[in-house]
Amino acid sequence: MTSERWRQATEWPLMAAALVFLAAYSVQVIGDVSERQAQALELIQWITWGAFTVDYVARLFLAPQRWRWLATHLPDLAMVVLPVLRPLRLLRLVTLLRVLYGTAGKALRGRIVTFVAVSAVFLTYCASLAVLDAEQHAEGANIVTFGDAVWWSLTTISTVGYGDHYPVTLIGRAVAAALMVSGIAVLGVVTASIGSWLVERVSATATVAVEQADADLRGQLDRLHAEVARLGRMLEESQGLHGQPAVEEETR
């Protein structure tokens, strides 16, 4: 067993576990569940957390350079240590979309745009769940419904920040800080993608215009060459007609 074979064998099961975790966590935070149902949902979350922990330990054990792998996979450690980050494994689903793109350049831009879009949706949803879980029972909280949480997440990730809803707990503010940084990153990637697309479109338009102008110029030059050649033949014929009598007179 190698690290790559382990990753390929466990990728789909872990995605399924992430979906199960997200569903259980969503019902627990948003739904009005009884104590018994809450315990069942908590058990499901602990089971999925155990699956992610086993995966992390196995990949660490199979890594050729464990300390280097540990230092370069800190987000994976965070997904195990911080339960709220575990649903972010769902972002691996965007790698399946690469088959939709034909050329390398378009595939790269398509994967980036898709990744950013899916990341923004999942970040907004997960941050809404996390901040609602931390705030809804806190004293003096103003984020007490899922609608409030989603509105707060949208204004935060877009860096607008109306200020009508804000977290008052330490965990809520930690979620807010992470979402702010993520929002800046998402907007930066979106801006860069749009700028790249605009530059490509302008470059393509300029190339077509230059090629068209070059074709027109070549056509005009070809017509000019043909006209010069025609005039040259006419001049030669005219000189030939005028010179023939003189030659006959000398012969006599």
Side-chain angles (χ1 to χ4, degrees), residues 115-142:
F115 180 82
V116 170
V118 175
S119 299
V121 172
F122 275 99
L123 283 171
T124 302
Y125 183 74
C126 293
S128 300
L129 289 176
V131 77
L132 181 62
D133 191 17
E135 296 286 319
Q136 60 182 344
H137 300 301
E139 183 179 357
N142 55 81

Side-chain angles (χ1 to χ4, degrees), residues 18 25 28-29 40 45-47 70-71 87 90 92 97 116 124-125 134 139 149 160 163-164 172-173 186 225 227:
Y25 187 63
Q28 186 182 41
V29 174
Q45 295 176 48
W46 277 107
I47 292 174
L70 182 65
L90 293 172
R92 289 183 180 181
L97 300 177
V116 170
T124 302
Y125 183 74
E139 183 179 357
V160 175
D164 52 350
R173 289 174 179 174
V186 168
H225 289 162
E227 184 66 19

Side-chain angles (χ1 to χ4, degrees), residues 26-239:
S26 300
V27 173
Q28 186 182 41
V29 174
I30 302 173
D32 185 13
V33 297
S34 62
E35 184 178 353
R36 186 173 181 179
Q37 292 172 334
Q39 292 176 355
L41 293 171
E42 189 72 23
L43 178 61
I44 292 174
Q45 295 176 48
W46 277 107
I47 292 174
T48 57
W49 176 84
F52 291 126
T53 303
V54 170
D55 172 66
Y56 180 82
V57 173
R59 289 191 295 144
L60 177 61
F61 178 77
L62 294 173
Q65 299 178 353
R66 296 175 184 173
W67 285 109
R68 183 177 180 182
W69 187 92
L70 182 65
T72 55
H73 290 76
L74 294 179
D76 292 303
L77 178 61
M79 291 176 189
V80 173
V81 176
L82 302 176
V84 71
L85 297 182
R86 289 204 302 268
L88 295 183
R89 280 185 177 271
L90 293 172
L91 296 178
R92 289 183 180 181
L93 291 170
V94 298
T95 59
L96 303 177
L97 300 177
R98 68 182 61 186
V99 296
L100 299 177
Y101 307 100
T103 62
K106 291 182 179 179
L108 179 60
R109 179 175 292 117
R111 286 199 300 270
I112 292 175
V113 172
T114 304
F115 180 82
V116 170
V118 175
S119 299
V121 172
F122 275 99
L123 283 171
T124 302
Y125 183 74
C126 293
S128 300
L129 289 176
V131 77
L132 181 62
D133 191 17
E135 296 286 319
Q136 60 182 344
H137 300 301
E139 183 179 357
N142 55 81
I143 302 176
V144 294
T145 65
F146 187 65
D148 294 339
V150 172
W151 172 249
W152 170 83
S153 296
L154 289 174
T155 58
T156 301
I157 197 172
S158 60
T159 68
V160 175
Y162 279 104
D164 52 350
H165 294 287
Y166 53 88
V168 297
T169 64
L170 180 61
I171 296 178
R173 289 174 179 174
V175 172
L179 192 59
M180 290 174 193
V181 174
S182 302
I184 294 172
V186 168
L187 289 178
V189 174
V190 170
T191 303
S193 299
I194 294 175
S196 174
W197 178 79
L198 289 175
V199 169
E200 181 179 336
R201 295 291 297 176
V202 171
S203 177
T205 303
T207 301
V208 171
V210 170
E211 291 177 352
Q212 183 63 37
D214 185 67
D216 294 341
L217 181 60
R218 288 181 181 274
Q220 293 176 5
L221 288 176
D222 291 339
R223 289 192 295 271
L224 182 61
H225 289 162
E227 184 66 19
V228 171
R230 187 180 68 83
L231 292 175
R233 289 192 299 270
M234 292 177 60
L235 182 61
E236 291 177 355
E237 291 174 358
S238 176
Q239 290 178 349

